[in-house]
Amino acid sequence: MQFTNNEYNKIMESKEFEDWEDSIKGLIDYIVDVVDGKVPEDEKDAISEEIFTNLFICSLNLQDGLKK
């Protein structure tokens, strides 16, 4: 998929993209915390499920924003 400069800038400045980017950053932070042993074993599944659900929702919102 190719975008014009105007379309690209609109996407990069959108709330949907910001939410998606924040979700990716949260996933990266979570992975680092798991690797560093900062996440209790009994909380890993619940936290990862919440992060992936949020990422999925943000991805859908971003996709909907692209259609507009």
Side-chain angles (χ1 to χ4, degrees):
M1 180 178 262
Q2 292 184 339
F3 300 104
T4 65
N5 285 339
N6 189 35
E7 291 170 328
Y8 176 80
N9 290 336
K10 184 178 177 183
I11 291 167
M12 297 304 284
E13 295 170 1
S14 71
K15 174 74 170 121
E16 293 88 358
F17 183 80
E18 184 179 319
D19 291 345
W20 181 82
E21 185 177 41
D22 289 345
S23 189
I24 292 290
K25 288 176 183 177
L27 175 60
I28 292 168
D29 290 344
Y30 171 72
I31 292 169
V32 170
D33 287 347
V34 168
V35 169
D36 289 345
K38 295 179 182 176
V39 178
E41 202 56 46
D42 59 338
E43 295 179 19
K44 285 182 182 178
D45 287 341
I47 293 171
S48 63
E49 184 176 328
E50 180 181 337
I51 289 171
F52 283 114
T53 299
N54 187 43
L55 182 59
F56 179 71
I57 291 168
C58 289
S59 296
L60 291 176
N61 290 340
L62 181 60
Q63 184 179 13
D64 287 345
L66 291 175
K67 292 178 184 177
K68 294 179 183 177

